[in-house]
């Protein structure tokens, strides 16, 4: 593990905790935020203020790892399956919880529901999302882009259709593609 990368401070993909907070919601919302954005790592046993490796006591290491797995499993919808592993750094054992960017977005805290329990990662913080962002995450989860949506109530004129066909022909020529007559059909 490269100490400079993992322990240089919190970022969009890194969150550090000296120890596991008593209330699991404090760190599970970070797991949700990672799943809703680009993924990330929660590191337990590192001071987020001075980046010092504190470690997790060996006698509670596996109990702490199990507690994380249980909290994530019991608190998140849809299910998030993080990779939870111990690692030795500077002779001390830390826990690294790796979360992949999720495919079934939006992920949220069951206890708060989708509207109030959906989080995203912004810089080094986990932020509750607005309804518009939840809709965007739903589209990502359904693998739909805005470009694929039908625009209901928008009338398409004959002139607009002809202009689009001409623009496509011009683009094809500029791109060095073979000439091809683009028609409305």
């Amino acid at each position: 593990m490269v100490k400079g990368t993992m322990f240089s401070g919190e970022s969009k993909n890194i969150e550090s905790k000296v120890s596991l907070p008593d209330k699991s919601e404090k760190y599970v919302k970070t797991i949700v935020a990672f799943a809703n954005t680009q993924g990330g790592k929660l590191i337990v046993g590192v001071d987020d203020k001075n980046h010092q490796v504190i470690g997790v006591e060996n006698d509670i290491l596996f109990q702490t790892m199990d507690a994380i797995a249980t909290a994530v499993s019991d608190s998140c919808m849809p299910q998030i399956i993080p990779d939870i592993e111990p690692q030795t750094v500077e002779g001390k054992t830390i826990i690294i919880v790796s979360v992949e960017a999720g495919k079934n977005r939006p992920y949220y805290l069951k206890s708060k529901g989708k509207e109030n329990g959906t989080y995203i990662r912004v810089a080094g913080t986990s932020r509750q999302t607005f309804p518009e962002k939840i809709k965007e995450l739903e589209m990502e989860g359904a693998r739909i882009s805005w470009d694929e949506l039908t625009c209901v109530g928008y009338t398409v004129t004959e002139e607009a259709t002809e202009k689009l066909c001409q623009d496509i022909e011009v683009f094809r020529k500029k791109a060095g593609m073979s000439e091809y007559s683009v028609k409305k059909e």
Side-chain angles (χ1 to χ4, degrees):
M1 170 181 296
V2 180
K3 183 174 190 250
T5 305
M6 287 292 231
F7 307 119
S8 58
E10 294 186 348
S11 68
K12 187 172 189 170
N13 305 92
I14 303 289
E15 174 89 14
S16 303
K17 301 282 183 205
V18 173
S19 61
L20 211 56
D22 292 335
K23 291 191 171 201
S24 62
E25 186 178 300
K26 290 185 176 185
Y27 64 88
V28 173
K29 72 179 185 179
T30 299
I31 305 272
V32 166
F34 286 151
N36 280 329
T37 48
Q38 298 172 346
K41 296 182 185 307
L42 171 67
I43 305 169
V44 181
V46 174
D47 191 330
D48 63 330
K49 292 174 184 58
N50 62 15
H51 320 300
Q52 183 179 351
V53 177
I54 307 298
V56 176
E57 295 298 322
N58 285 333
D59 56 335
I60 62 165
L61 178 67
F62 292 105
Q63 177 185 346
T64 303
M65 291 170 59
D66 287 346
I68 295 168
T70 299
V72 172
S73 180
D74 292 350
S75 303
C76 302
M77 280 297 288
Q79 186 178 30
I80 298 171
I81 304 173
D83 182 29
I84 305 168
E85 61 184 0
Q87 197 147 46
T88 303
V89 176
E90 297 177 0
K92 298 175 184 167
T93 305
I94 61 171
I95 298 171
I96 298 180
V97 183
S98 301
V99 180
E100 297 291 324
K103 292 178 174 57
N104 299 313
R105 297 173 183 167
Y107 293 89
Y108 57 93
L109 297 176
K110 287 182 196 176
S111 63
K112 292 188 169 195
K114 189 187 297 185
E115 292 76 29
N116 297 314
T118 303
Y119 293 86
I120 57 171
R121 198 74 178 157
V122 179
T125 63
S126 298
R127 300 286 183 190
Q128 190 174 358
T129 56
F130 292 110
E132 300 81 14
K133 183 64 178 173
I134 293 173
K135 287 193 185 319
E136 186 179 318
L137 290 169
E138 287 172 339
M139 288 178 60
E140 289 173 8
R143 291 148 191 85
I144 300 170
S145 73
W146 287 106
D147 294 339
E148 294 173 303
L149 295 178
T150 303
C151 189
V152 178
Y154 181 80
T155 54
V156 179
T157 64
E158 192 65 36
E159 295 86 31
T161 304
E162 288 177 24
K163 170 106 172 70
L164 176 61
C165 292
Q166 290 170 1
D167 289 347
I168 292 171
E169 286 178 6
V170 168
F171 173 80
R172 288 180 61 85
K173 286 179 189 173
K174 284 183 181 177
M177 299 169 83
S178 62
E179 286 195 37
Y180 181 79
S181 180
V182 179
K183 299 192 181 333
K184 182 178 175 180
E185 295 79 32

